[in-house]
C-alpha cells in the first residue's frame, strides 16, 4: 500500500538525530516496557505461530496514519502486535483496554492481499528489469519510489521466501527468490539525487523483464 | 489513549492471564536482544576478514556461512550479505519501510536508523545526510544505498584503514563500530 | 516538494467524516479563534503585502511532518502565517512565544525555489502532454501522482499566473497560463482506480509535449 | 506547545502591538467569510442556468463572468470554471495539496473537504468514497475528479432533476446544496 510508512524519498523531515560514533548503544532499551514489544511479537510469530512477521509489518502499516507518525518505534510494534492477537481471536480489544485503563487503538482493517503470480523462469545477474507498475492496496515490500523504474540485477538470493503480498495477509504464499536490483539514483529522484545508485531487494513477482510492452 | 507503558503491560498481562507466555520466554528473548546481539559481533567478523583473505572471500561470497562460523545466526540473520567498501565506494544500509537490520551481527537497530528522518532522506540525499551526521565524504567517493526491503540482511565490510598494520584482531575489531557496520561512518586508526 | 501534504493517492486513511447533505455549514467557524487564521493571513498577503499566498502554502508544507499531520486545518494556517511574519522580519518567534505563554513551533527553513523556464509556445486543447519528471525540493503545485504521466489538455486558462515554484519562495515569477490536463485514472493509480479520469490544473512549466525524448 | 487558541491570539496581539491591523479589518473579513461567501450563491447561479439557456451557455463558456453578474467575485473566485454533469457523468472537486475552493460561490471549504481522508482518497477511490458518503452511483455513471492544483476555482453544474418542472428559481436553488456544488451529492426533487 502507498501508506505513510513508505517513507523513502519523502521531503520535509529534518536532521537525523545522531552524530556518528557518539553513542555506546547501551542500554539497548530506554524504557522499561520497550523489551516487551519485540518479546511479545516473537511470542506470537515464533512460539505461538499466531501470525507471521509479514503480517506484523502490515499491521503496523495499517495504523491510522496520524497514530503511526506520532507513535515512537516500539509503540508501533506494540500496536501492530496487539492488533494481530485481537484479529486472530486470541485477545479482545475490550480486554486490552480494561487492563490498560484507557483507549488502546489498534490497526485499521485488512484488505484482501493478493497471491503471487505463478512462478516463471528466474532472472539472471546483469538482466535489466522493471519494477511493476502495480498499485497494491494491501501489504507489499516494493517501495513506491521504484514503481515503474528500470534497474539491473546484481544478486539473486539462493534462498526463497514467501511472497509478502500474500503472507502479509495470512494467505498461502508462494516462495520466490529476491533480487538485489540496482537503480540509478537519478532515475528515482531526479537530478538532485545524491547517491550513485540505490539497491532494492525485490521479490521476483515485483519484476518484469525490461523491454516488455508498456514500460 | 492510554500511555504506551500501560498499553504494553496490558498486552503482556492479557497474554499472561491466558497462560500463553512460557516461563522465562520474555527474559530469555530480552537477554538475546540486550546482550547476545551486539555490534561487537560484526566487528569481529570484519577484523577476521581484514587479516584472513580466505575468510574475506567467504564473507563476500556467503555472508551467512561466514557469520555462522562465529555462531552469529538467528532471527533477522538468516541471509547475510556483506557489502565491500573501497576508498572510492561507501555502502550505506537503510530500511525505508520499517526497521530491518542484521540483528545477530549488528545488534538491534539504533533509534536514529529507525527515525523518519533517516528512512525518508538517506535514499535521496545520502551525501547531505552523511555530512550532517559527521561523515563528510569527498565527491570522489561514490555512495551506494542498500534498502533492506526483503529478507537479505546487510552488513558493511569497511576497508582497513592505513596505520593499522600489525594490529591484533581484537584491536582491529575495536575500531569497527555499529555505525561503521551500517555504513554511516568509516573506521579510523586513530579513533 | 514530495512532502506529507501531497496526499493524493496515499493509502491508509479511513472514512471521510461526512454524510452528504447532513450539515447546514453554519456557523462557518467552530472555535472562537478560527476566523483569525484567514483574517491574519489576508492581512499579510493582501493588505500589508508582506508575503503572497504561494508563500503561505509553502510555509504550511514546510511544517515538520508530524506537526502538519497532527494539527487541525486552521492551526496549520496560523503556523504558516506566523512563520512568514517571522521570516519576513515583521515579528519574532520570541515575541510570539512570550504572548502565547508557551512554545510556538514554526515552519522548517526554506530552500531556494526555482525560476520558471523561459516561455515557449503554448499548448493547445487536445494536445498530449507529459507532466515533467522533475523532483522539486521547494514549492511546487504539481502533485507527485502525475509526475511523468501522459495526459490530454482540455482547457487553457485565459489568464496567466505567477509560476508557483518561484513565487512560493518570494522570488520574481514569470506568469504562465495553466492547463486542465485530463489523465486516465488507471495511468495514475493502476487497475484499482475508480474514476475514469482525474483532471489536474498545471502551469505550462510543468508540461512537455508528449513524444519528446526521455518520457 | 502552547494551545492553538493561545497561539492564534498571540499572533493577533503581536501584530496589533505593532499597529499593523487596521480598525475593522478582522471584523470585515470575518463577515465576508461567515456571511457573504455562501453556497446559496452558487445555488442561485445553478438555478439561473437551469431556467435560462443563454446564461447556461455563458456559465459554461466563462464561469467567472457569469458569476460576476451576481456579484460573486473576490479572493479565490478570480477564475471560475463550471463543470457540467450529465446523467452519466459526475464531476467531483478536490484540492489534494491544500484546500482551494471557489469561496465566493461555494463558501469556505467544509472540514471534510479539507480532511486528509478526502484529499488522499477521492482521486484514487472516488466511487467508494462517494458511496461511503451517501452517493451510491451506478457503474454506468462515469466519475471525473478535478484536482484544484492551480488558480482555477471549480463549481459543479448539476443536471436538473426530473420532477422540478415549473419550479421557481428560488425553489430550484433550494435543492442545490454545498455538497452538490462540490460534486459529492446530486440534487433531488423530493429532497
Amino acid at each position: 500500500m502507498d501508506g505513510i510508512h513508505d517513507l523513502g524519498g519523502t521531503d520535509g523531515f529534518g536532521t537525523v538525530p545522531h552524530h556518528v560514533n557518539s553513542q555506546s548503544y547501551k542500554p539497548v532499551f530506554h524504557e522499561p516496557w520497550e523489551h516487551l514489544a519485540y518479546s511479545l511479537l516473537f511470542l506470537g510469530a515464533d512460539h505461538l505461530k499466531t501470525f507471521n512477521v509479514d503480517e506484523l509489518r502490515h499491521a503496523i502499516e495499517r495504523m491510522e496514519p496520524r497514530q503511526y507518525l506520532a507513535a515512537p518505534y516500539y509503540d508501533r510494534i506494540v500496536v501492530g502486535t496487539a492488533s494481530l492477537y485481537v484479529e486472530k481471536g486470541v485477545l479482545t480489544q475490550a480486554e486490552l483496554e480494561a487492563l490498560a485503563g484507557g483507549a488502546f487503538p489498534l490497526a485499521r482493517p485488512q484488505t484482501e492481499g493478493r497471491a503471487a503470480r505463478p512462478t516463471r523462469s528466474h532472472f539472471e545477474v546483469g538482466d535489466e528489469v522493471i519494477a511493476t507498475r502495480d498499485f497494491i492496496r494491501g501489504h507489499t515490500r516494493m517501495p513506491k519510489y521504484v514503481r515503474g523504474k528500470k534497474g539491473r540485477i546484481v544478486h539473486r538470493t539462493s534462498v526463497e521466501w514467501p511472497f509478502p503480498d500474500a503472507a502479509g495477509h495470512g494467505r498461502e504464499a508462494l516462495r520466490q527468490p529476491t533480487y538485489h536490483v540496482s537503480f540509478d539514483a537519478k532515475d528515482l529522484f531526479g537530478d538532485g539525487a545524491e547517491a550513485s545508485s540505490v539497491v532494492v531487494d525485490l521479490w521476483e513477482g515485483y519484476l518484469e523483464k525490461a523491454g516488455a510492452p508498456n514500460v | 489513549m492510554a500511555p504506551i507503558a500501560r498499553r504494553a503491560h496490558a498486552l503482556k498481562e492479557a497474554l499472561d492471564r491466558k497462560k500463553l507466555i512460557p516461563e522465562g520466554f520474555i527474559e530469555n528473548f530480552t537477554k538475546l536482544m540486550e546482550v547476545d546481539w551486539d555490534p561487537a559481533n560484526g566487528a569481529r567478523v570484519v577484523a577476521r576478514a581484514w587479516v584472513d583473505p580466505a575468510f574475506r572471500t567467504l564473507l563476500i561470497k556467503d555472508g551467512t556461512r561466514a557469520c555462522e562460523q562465529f555462531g552469529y545466526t538467528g532471527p533477522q540473520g538468516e541471509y547475510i550479505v556483506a557489502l565491500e567498501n573501497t576508498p572510492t565506494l561507501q555502502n550505506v544500509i537503510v530500511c525505508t519501510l520499517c526497521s530491518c537490520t542484521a540483528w545477530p551481527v549488528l545488534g538491534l537497530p539504533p533509534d536514529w536508523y529507525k527515525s523518519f528522518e533517516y528512512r525518508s532522506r538517506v535514499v535521496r540525499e545520502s551525501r547531505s545526510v552523511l555530512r550532517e551526521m559527521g561523515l563528510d565524504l569527498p565527491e570522489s567517493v561514490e555512495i551506494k544505498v542498500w534498502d533492506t526491503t526483503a529478507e537479505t540482511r546487510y552488513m558493511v565490510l569497511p576497508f582497513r584503514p592505513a596505520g593499522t598494520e600489525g594490529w591484533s584482531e581484537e584491536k582491529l575489531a575495536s575500531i569497527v563500530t555499529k555505525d561503521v557496520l551500517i555504513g554511516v561512518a568509516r573506521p579510523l586508526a586513530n579513533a
Side-chain angles (χ1 to χ4, degrees), chain A, chain B:
Chain A
M1 61 188 276
D2 285 10
I4 203 91
H5 71 284
D6 188 355
L7 280 167
T10 301
D11 281 322
F13 286 97
T15 308
V16 178
H18 179 58
H19 194 273
V20 291
N21 293 334
S22 63
Q23 291 176 52
S24 74
Y25 297 117
K26 300 283 174 175
V28 168
F29 297 109
H30 307 304
E31 304 274 346
W33 58 269
E34 286 184 346
H35 71 287
L36 293 174
Y38 277 163
S39 296
L40 300 174
L41 153 58
F42 274 83
L43 178 78
D46 206 48
H47 178 73
L48 300 173
K49 314 276 186 216
T50 306
F51 48 80
N52 63 50
V53 174
D54 289 300
E55 289 178 281
L56 184 271
R57 288 198 188 93
H58 190 42
I60 294 172
E61 295 163 4
R62 290 189 279 116
M63 286 173 67
E64 208 285 327
R66 278 159 280 226
Q67 188 185 355
Y68 180 97
L69 221 60
Y73 177 80
Y74 286 116
D75 187 341
R76 300 198 296 274
I77 304 286
V78 168
V79 171
T81 301
S83 299
L84 289 168
Y85 281 119
V86 169
E87 291 172 6
K88 301 290 183 175
V90 175
L91 305 173
T92 68
Q93 189 169 19
E95 262 175 283
L96 291 171
E97 299 197 326
L99 287 166
F104 197 140
L106 301 175
R108 300 194 57 254
Q110 293 251 30
T111 51
E112 234 177 88
R114 62 162 182 173
R117 301 184 224 182
T119 314
R120 298 164 292 185
S121 60
H122 294 326
F123 302 107
E124 302 297 331
V125 168
D127 281 359
E128 288 206 320
V129 290
I130 306 274
T132 59
R133 289 195 180 280
D134 295 342
F135 286 76
I136 305 306
R137 305 303 311 277
H139 183 57
T140 186
R141 297 275 285 164
M142 187 181 93
K144 66 178 185 298
Y145 69 77
V146 300
R147 183 163 41 215
K149 304 287 181 169
K150 186 160 76 178
R152 186 180 292 275
I153 289 175
V154 297
H155 178 80
R156 179 176 75 213
T157 60
S158 57
V159 175
E160 304 197 339
W161 288 280
F163 191 64
D165 304 34
H169 294 258
R171 292 168 63 142
E172 185 78 19
L174 286 179
R175 284 174 176 265
Q176 296 182 344
T178 69
Y179 296 85
H180 302 175
V181 182
S182 179
F183 297 89
D184 183 330
K186 290 197 191 316
D187 284 346
L188 305 181
F189 301 117
D191 290 339
E194 297 181 11
S196 61
S197 52
V198 178
V199 185
V200 185
D201 195 4
L202 297 169
W203 265 264
E204 195 162 87
Y206 298 154
L207 298 173
E208 294 180 358
K209 195 106 182 169
N214 290 317
V215 290
Chain B
M1 177 156 51
I4 176 57
R6 288 244 296 280
R7 284 181 285 124
H9 285 290
L11 179 58
K12 172 174 178 287
E13 178 66 17
L15 293 164
D16 239 354
R17 290 189 182 187
K18 297 201 158 52
K19 312 243 176 287
L20 293 172
I21 310 181
E23 169 109 25
F25 184 90
I26 291 175
E27 294 71 13
N28 291 339
F29 200 79
T30 302
K31 178 188 162 287
L32 267 178
M33 296 190 285
E34 288 192 318
V35 180
D36 298 8
W37 298 332
D38 195 298
N41 300 350
R44 279 181 213 111
V45 172
V46 168
R48 176 73 49 87
W50 280 348
V51 300
D52 179 345
F55 182 80
R56 178 193 194 89
T57 304
L58 174 66
L59 178 62
I60 288 165
K61 191 163 169 282
D62 187 343
T64 322
R65 206 142 61 84
C67 291
E68 258 170 20
Q69 294 193 352
F70 288 80
Y72 306 149
T73 60
Q76 303 297 309
E78 289 98 343
Y79 196 89
I80 294 171
V81 167
L83 306 170
E84 193 179 10
N85 280 355
T86 71
T88 59
L89 172 67
Q90 181 69 30
N91 293 289
V92 182
I93 306 169
V94 64
C95 174
T96 61
L97 297 174
C98 38
S99 61
C100 301
T101 337
W103 292 355
V105 287
L106 269 70
L108 292 191
D111 290 338
W112 62 264
Y113 178 91
K114 300 178 289 191
S115 71
F116 301 145
E117 288 78 9
Y118 187 72
R119 286 169 53 191
S120 65
R121 293 182 60 208
V122 79
V123 288
R124 185 162 172 172
E125 305 174 72
S126 38
R127 201 173 295 274
S128 301
V129 167
L130 294 184
R131 188 185 310 116
E132 290 165 14
M133 292 176 75
L135 179 64
D136 196 358
L137 296 171
E139 285 291 329
S140 57
V141 176
E142 180 192 347
I143 298 170
K144 201 179 270 195
V145 180
W146 299 74
D147 194 352
T148 314
T149 51
E151 301 300 332
T152 307
R153 294 294 169 268
Y154 299 105
M155 63 175 282
V156 171
L157 172 58
F159 62 91
R160 182 171 171 171
T164 58
E165 296 75 14
W167 286 22
S168 68
E169 265 187 62
E170 199 184 337
K171 188 166 179 196
L172 286 170
S174 74
I175 60 171
V176 180
T177 64
K178 187 163 182 141
D179 292 5
V180 166
L181 293 165
I182 294 173
V184 298
R186 296 184 140 193
L188 296 171
N190 54 355

